[in-house]
Every structure is written in structure tokens, then in C-alpha cells.
Amino acid sequence: MAEVKALIRVQLCCDCEAARQKLEEELARCGFECVREGGDVILAVAAAMRGGWQSRLAELARRTDAGVVALVQCCDRQAAERGLEGSGVAVLPGDAPAEILAEVLRIAAKTGERLCAVRDELCRTREKLRGEKIVARAKLLLVERRGMTESEAHRRIEKAAMDGRTTRCEIALAILKEYGF
């Protein structure tokens, strides 16, 4: 059975309808799907965007997991790269061959996938840290209010979690609640 290759969705940001149509046709020929929102990659045509586009595009790049690519006029490329430095936006000259644009969009989509995975991992790490802080607070309460040592408090929470088939964080939350926290 042949593997079905998912289309990369490209969200175009372009104020010029003629340029948009031309790009949509070119991208379709290269195997991309153009969408109005929620793309795997955001492609911004800088020459057709209003003033202040660099700061708007940099802000968009900070808020999304999608890869972001800016097409600029050749003479504006260095200025655009300076203005977008540190934002993660790839800058490509507007006259780049379709094959180069397609490859940059594929790379940007893969970068977006990686960014999404990193953000997911960051969320899991933050949640784990939150749980560890709650457990530490509960241990401190047991040490202060029950006169336990830190290792006794740790063992009590661990044993209660194992016996109750629950997490240490849930036991710690119950301890905090018991003491009015």
C-alpha cells in the first residue's frame, strides 16, 4: 500500500490579490495547500504588506508554532534580516526560484513541528515542576506541624501515593488542604 503524503498547508499573508493568486498557483504546482489560517507555514510577502510589517511578522512568529517565511525584494533582504533578527523568521528574496521556495517552506514546516514538540515538552516540564513545588510545600508542612524529618515526610507522601495508587502531587494537595492551604 502506498503511503499518502500529507500536504503542507501554507498560510499566505499578502495584501496584493494578484500576487496572492500567482503564489497560490505556484505553490499548488509544488504540492502545497494554501489556507487562510492555521497553516503549517506562514508565508508573508513583504513587498505587498503595509508599513511596520517586520514587527507584526516577528510578533506573529512568537505566537505560533508554524514556521514563518518572509519573501522580500532583493534590495531589502539585508534590512529585513536585521529587522527580523532573533524572531525565527526565514527571509528569502522574492525572485527566488520556485524549487528553492518550496524547499524553504518544507524546512520551515519541519522547524514548526520541532518547535511544537519543544513547546509540548516545556509544558510537561512546567507541570512536573509545579507538582514538585506542591510536594515540597507539603513536606515542609509535615516537618513544621508534625515534627517529622524531611526524609520521614518524603516517605509518608511516597507511601500514601503508592498505597492509594495516586500521585505524590495529589497526596501533597490533600495535605495542604488538611492544613488549610
Side-chain angles (χ1 to χ4, degrees), residues 82-104:
R82 280 192 305 276
L84 292 166
E85 191 170 340
S87 67
V89 176
V91 178
L92 196 63
D95 63 354
E99 301 80 29
I100 301 293
L101 175 60
E103 196 57 34
V104 168

Side-chain angles (χ1 to χ4, degrees), residues 60-162:
L60 177 62
R62 279 189 281 283
R63 292 189 333 249
T64 185
D65 289 335
V68 182
V69 178
L71 281 180
V72 299
Q73 293 176 345
C74 286
C75 59
D76 296 337
R77 183 172 181 199
Q78 288 181 337
E81 286 176 341
R82 280 192 305 276
L84 292 166
E85 191 170 340
S87 67
V89 176
V91 178
L92 196 63
D95 63 354
E99 301 80 29
I100 301 293
L101 175 60
E103 196 57 34
V104 168
L105 292 174
R106 285 185 193 95
I107 292 168
K110 289 295 179 190
T111 302
E113 288 175 12
R114 177 74 178 124
L115 178 60
C116 188
V118 169
R119 285 189 193 198
D120 288 347
E121 180 64 26
L122 178 60
C123 286
R124 285 190 297 275
T125 302
R126 283 181 175 155
E127 187 59 29
K128 186 175 180 180
L129 179 60
R130 185 188 75 80
E132 291 300 320
K133 285 180 177 179
I134 291 168
V135 170
R137 281 190 211 120
K139 283 186 203 177
L140 182 63
L141 273 175
L142 291 174
V143 168
E144 289 177 349
R145 303 275 174 98
R146 293 252 176 108
M148 295 180 173
T149 66
E150 192 276 335
S151 62
E152 289 171 335
H154 177 79
R155 267 187 261 121
R156 179 171 183 258
I157 292 171
E158 286 281 323
K159 184 171 180 353
M162 285 189 280

Side-chain angles (χ1 to χ4, degrees), residues 51-66:
W53 67 271
Q54 291 170 335
S55 60
R56 290 194 322 269
L57 193 57
E59 179 59 29
L60 177 62
R62 279 189 281 283
R63 292 189 333 249
T64 185
D65 289 335

